[in-house]
């Protein structure tokens, strides 16, 4: 998984530089495939705004048809992933 995702470039020119342990654990636990992660990063249906949480951590969501990937847009590190709900996928596909 790691080698297939690192160096992937998003539509807004962020290059994935690493995968957190949390990301790897969640992808495995939630059965999110490498292909679905890459699709979310490269062919995003929607790219969320850059946000900063209560602990000062920066993140941005990349919503794909089958997976949503949260990354740190400053470092390029993938933080977590989860399956995209079908309702969200349909919303951003315009269905």
């Amino acid at each position: 998984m790691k080698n297939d995702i690192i160096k992937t470039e998003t539509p807004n020119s962020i290059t994935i530089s690493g995968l957190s342990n949390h990301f790897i654990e969640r992808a495995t636990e939630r059965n999110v495939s490498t292909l679905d992660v890459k699709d979310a990063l490269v062919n995003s249906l929607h790219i969320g705004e850059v946000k900063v949480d209560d602990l000062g951590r920066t993140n941005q969501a990349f919503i794909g048809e089958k997976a949503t990937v949260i990354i740190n847009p400053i470092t390029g590190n993938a933080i977590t992933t989860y399956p995209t709900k079908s309702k969200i996928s349909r919303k951003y596909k315009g269905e």
Side-chain angles (χ1 to χ4, degrees):
M1 174 180 272
K2 192 172 188 175
N3 293 334
D4 293 330
I5 298 170
I6 291 177
K7 295 186 180 174
T8 298
E9 189 170 330
T10 66
N12 59 345
S13 301
I14 298 169
T15 301
I16 303 304
S17 61
L19 308 177
S20 70
N21 288 334
H22 180 81
F23 176 91
I24 294 167
E25 290 168 2
R26 294 304 166 266
T28 302
E29 175 182 290
R30 296 169 177 163
N31 295 316
V32 177
S33 76
T34 301
L35 287 175
D36 292 341
V37 168
K38 281 198 72 145
D39 182 63
L41 292 169
V42 175
N43 303 308
S44 310
L45 298 175
H46 178 77
I47 300 173
E49 293 182 28
V50 174
K51 298 180 182 179
V52 179
D53 70 11
D54 295 340
L55 299 175
R57 299 176 297 195
T58 306
N59 66 78
Q60 187 170 31
F62 290 79
I63 301 172
E65 187 172 350
K66 295 183 180 179
T68 297
V69 181
I70 310 299
I71 69 167
N72 179 322
I74 297 168
T75 65
N77 199 39
I79 301 166
T80 194
T81 187
Y82 48 88
T84 301
K85 293 183 180 179
S86 58
K87 182 178 179 180
I88 299 295
S89 180
R90 285 192 309 270
K91 172 185 173 182
Y92 289 118
K93 285 170 44 179
E95 295 178 2

